[in-house]
Amino acid sequence: MSSANTPFVTRDLAHVWHPCTQMKDHEQLPPIPVRRGRGAWLEDYAGRRYLDAVSSWWVNLFGHANPRINAAVRAQLEQLEQVILAGFTHEPVIALSEELAALAPAGLTRCFYADNGSSAVEVAVKMSFHYWRNVGRPDKRRFITLTNSYHGETLGALAVGNVELYKEIYRPLLMDVISVPSPDCYGRAAGATWAEHSRAQFAHMEAALGRHAHEAAAVIVEPLVQCAGGMRMYDPVYLSLLRAACDRHAVHLIADEIAVGFGRTGTLFACEQAAVRPDFLCLSKGLTGGYLPLSTVMTTEPIYAAFYDEYVKLNAFLHSHSFTGNPLACAAARASLAIFREDRTLERNRALAAHLGRRARELEDHPHVAEVRQCGMIVAIEMVRDQASRAPYPWQERRGLTVYRHALERGVLLRPVGNVVYFMPPYVITPEEIDLMVDVAREGIGLATCA
Ligand code: PMP
C-alpha cells in the first residue's frame, strides 16, 4: 500500500544494506523511514507513531530529541566538532573522563576512548593481553567467556562472545576462547533461588580458572544480564565470586557494561550490585544518552602504569580510531550524566521499574510463557511451545517476528530476540506508555502462540 513512506522505502532498498537483517525479509515488511523522534516516540513520514520500547537498540536513555542534550550538542557544535585526540585534547573529553572516574567503581581512573561497543571490547581484550606481555607474562593470552554471551561483531569481540547465530559462520576467522557455562538463571532447578543457582554455576568458572589461569589474560562477562543472548539474567553473587577468583588466579576481569551500564539494571553500573571493581569496564550505548557513537574502556592506575615507559621499549598502547573521544559525543555524554544528577533518574526509575515488573508479571499465567524476569529497567518474557516442559519453539518458526509485526501495527517498537519478548525503554517513558507496551506485547504473544 502506498503512503508517504513509499518513496523513502524505494530509495532505501535501492542502496542501503541494513544491519543484522536478511534483506529479502523487506519484500514482506519494508523498513520504516523515521522522520523524527520526540521523547519515547518515533514518527514515520506517514505520520504513524511508534513507542520505542527497545530504546533504539538499547542506546537511548532520555528520549529522542531531548532538549537538554540537544542544547549541549548544539553549543559544542559551535566550538569544535572533531579533533585528533593524539597529541591534542579538548575540554569535553577531559571533563567527561573526570566525571566517569568519579562515578565508576573506585579505582577505575583511566579512560581510553573508541567510538562503538565492539571497538571498546577490542580495546579491553588487546589491553589485557598487552598488559601481561609488558609485565613479562606473554603466555597469558587466552580469554575466558560465558556461554550465551555477546560482546559485539568485530572479530575479537565476536570471538569472545558465544551467540551461535552470529558467530558460527565466522568461526574459522576467530581466536580460540575458553567457554564456561553461564550463570543464567532461566535453567535453575525448580525451587532454587537465583543466588543459589548462580553460586552453583560458579563451580565451572572456578574449575576453568584453576585449569587455565597460567595462560588466561582475562575473563569477560556482561554483568547481570546477557542481553543479546535473550535477556538472560543472573545473581550479583556470581560477580563477587568471580572478582575474588580472578584476584586469586591473577586473571583480569573485563566487565562489558555496554548494554547494562547507565542505569538499565537499577544501579548506574551493574557491577555496583556486587560491589566489585573490574579491571576493565567497557561502556558505550547509553554513555551519550544514545545520541552519538562513543565508547570508553576504563581501567586502573596499575594497569596504566604497565604501559608507561620509554617509547623505544614499545610498551605503549598504540591503538586508535579516527573519531576517538569525539567532542560532540562527549558533550552529549556530559549532558546525559547531568540529567542523571539533576533529575535523580535512578531514584525515579525505581517506581517505573516496579510498575513495569508488576504489569509484565501478569503474563506469567499465559500458557506459552515460561518466565517473566526482571533486572531493573529490563524485563523479558520467555515464549515457549510448552509451559510445563519449557520446550522452546524452533527458531525457524520466527514467533518473535509475529510479535514484532503486531506491535508495529499497534504503534509499538518491540524487537524480540528469538522467542524472548523484552522491554528496555527510555527512562522518559510514562506509566501509561508502559501499560500500552505491555498490553501490545500480550496481544502479540497471543497471536504468535495461537497455532
Ligand atoms: N557488548 C554488548 C553487551 C552489547 O550488547 C553490544 C551491542 N548490542 C556490544 C558489545 C557491541 O556494541 P556495538 O554494537 O556498539 O559495536
Side-chain angles (χ1 to χ4, degrees):
M1 200 173 56
S2 184
S3 78
N5 287 339
T6 308
F8 296 97
V9 172
T10 307
R11 284 166 57 197
D12 175 286
L13 293 179
H15 294 291
V16 182
W17 189 344
H18 288 268
C20 204
T21 298
Q22 170 47 263
M23 290 298 290
K24 192 171 196 302
D25 282 356
H26 284 319
E27 290 177 11
Q28 305 298 323
L29 190 62
I32 296 167
V34 174
R35 183 171 58 166
R36 59 183 203 156
R38 285 287 181 280
W41 293 86
L42 300 166
E43 187 183 317
D44 71 13
Y45 283 84
R48 296 204 53 174
R49 297 170 78 225
Y50 306 88
L51 179 63
D52 190 354
V54 299
S55 298
S56 286
W57 254 343
W58 320 339
V59 301
N60 190 285
L61 299 187
F62 298 111
H64 297 278
N66 181 290
R68 285 188 267 178
I69 306 179
N70 280 5
V73 174
R74 215 176 277 125
Q76 182 55 41
L77 194 53
E78 295 302 326
Q79 297 301 320
L80 177 68
E81 80 302 334
Q82 162 67 6
V83 65
I84 179 172
L85 197 65
F88 284 71
T89 192
H90 51 84
E91 210 250 337
V93 81
I94 296 168
L96 177 61
S97 307
E98 290 168 346
E99 289 176 29
L100 289 172
L103 290 168
L108 293 172
T109 47
R110 292 280 163 184
C111 302
F112 189 99
Y113 289 89
D115 47 22
N116 63 77
S118 303
S119 297
V121 171
E122 301 284 341
V123 166
V125 162
K126 285 176 69 179
M127 248 185 206
S128 175
F129 162 82
H130 197 161
Y131 167 88
W132 291 115
R133 179 196 161 280
N134 282 359
V135 300
R137 295 291 308 273
D139 45 324
K140 283 169 81 69
R141 54 183 196 80
R142 297 191 70 192
F143 291 86
I144 301 178
T145 84
L146 296 175
T147 54
N148 198 45
S149 60
Y150 179 88
H151 298 290
E153 299 294 343
T154 54
L155 294 179
L158 197 59
V160 296
N162 264 303
V163 177
E164 288 304 308
L165 177 64
Y166 305 126
K167 183 168 180 176
E168 189 49 36
I169 290 167
Y170 306 101
R171 205 173 282 277
L173 304 181
L174 305 178
M175 70 173 156
D176 188 32
V177 297
I178 300 151
S179 290
V180 172
S182 165
D184 160 23
C185 290
Y186 180 64
R188 72 192 182 282
T193 64
W194 282 24
E196 284 162 355
H197 181 75
S198 295
R199 186 181 283 278
Q201 287 296 95
F202 190 75
H204 300 290
M205 180 60 79
E206 187 67 60
L209 281 165
R211 231 179 356 261
H212 296 287
H214 67 283
E215 56 171 355
V219 176
I220 180 166
V221 297
E222 293 159 271
L224 302 189
V225 189
Q226 295 187 310
C227 294
M231 302 296 161
R232 293 293 180 83
M233 300 175 184
Y234 60 92
D235 193 89
V237 71
Y238 192 87
L239 297 173
S240 316
L241 294 169
L242 181 58
R243 175 71 274 179
C246 284
D247 286 344
R248 240 183 299 119
H249 290 284
V251 171
H252 289 146
L253 174 57
I254 303 174
D256 174 353
E257 295 218 18
I258 288 161
V260 297
F262 299 101
R264 294 290 185 196
T265 67
T267 43
L268 190 62
F269 301 114
C271 280
E272 291 171 29
Q273 295 182 40
V276 302
R277 188 209 68 205
D279 299 292
F280 301 95
L281 176 64
C282 302
L283 303 172
S284 188
K285 293 189 186 276
L287 172 59
T288 60
Y291 255 62
L292 286 159
L294 182 72
S295 61
T296 188
V297 177
M298 300 186 69
T299 191
T300 62
E301 290 301 314
I303 288 174
Y304 174 76
F307 293 80
Y308 197 91
D309 210 339
E310 300 304 327
Y311 186 85
V312 290
K313 295 231 186 108
L314 293 181
N315 283 341
F317 191 59
L318 301 180
H319 179 110
S320 64
H321 298 285
S322 313
F323 288 100
T324 289
N326 171 263
L328 295 171
C330 291
R334 294 194 63 209
S336 175
L337 291 177
I339 296 176
F340 270 104
R341 277 194 309 274
E342 291 160 14
D343 292 7
R344 310 172 76 84
T345 302
L346 297 174
E347 227 171 278
R348 292 184 58 235
N349 279 0
R350 271 183 229 132
L352 283 178
H355 183 71
L356 173 57
R358 205 161 41 238
R359 288 301 324 275
R361 277 192 298 279
E362 291 171 12
L363 271 104
E364 275 172 344
D365 296 334
H366 191 284
H368 291 286
V369 169
E371 181 176 77
V372 177
R373 52 181 175 267
Q374 177 171 24
C375 184
M377 289 291 283
I378 307 174
V379 167
I381 303 163
E382 188 95 22
M383 285 193 296
V384 287
R385 187 159 53 76
D386 181 65
Q387 198 182 40
S389 68
R390 292 191 157 188
Y393 286 113
W395 63 267
Q396 293 88 342
E397 294 178 6
R398 305 184 76 183
R399 304 264 171 171
L401 189 58
T402 305
V403 179
Y404 175 71
R405 297 184 72 137
H406 172 75
L408 286 183
E409 278 168 27
R410 293 275 279 110
V412 179
L413 166 50
L414 292 173
R415 201 172 189 277
V417 180
N419 294 322
V420 177
V421 179
Y422 71 88
F423 311 111
M424 203 197 283
Y427 306 154
V428 293
I429 196 166
T430 64
E432 295 71 34
E433 288 163 347
I434 287 176
D435 291 342
L436 170 68
M437 189 171 80
V438 176
D439 289 345
V440 166
R442 184 197 296 108
E443 295 162 11
I445 291 168
L447 279 175
T449 60
C450 68

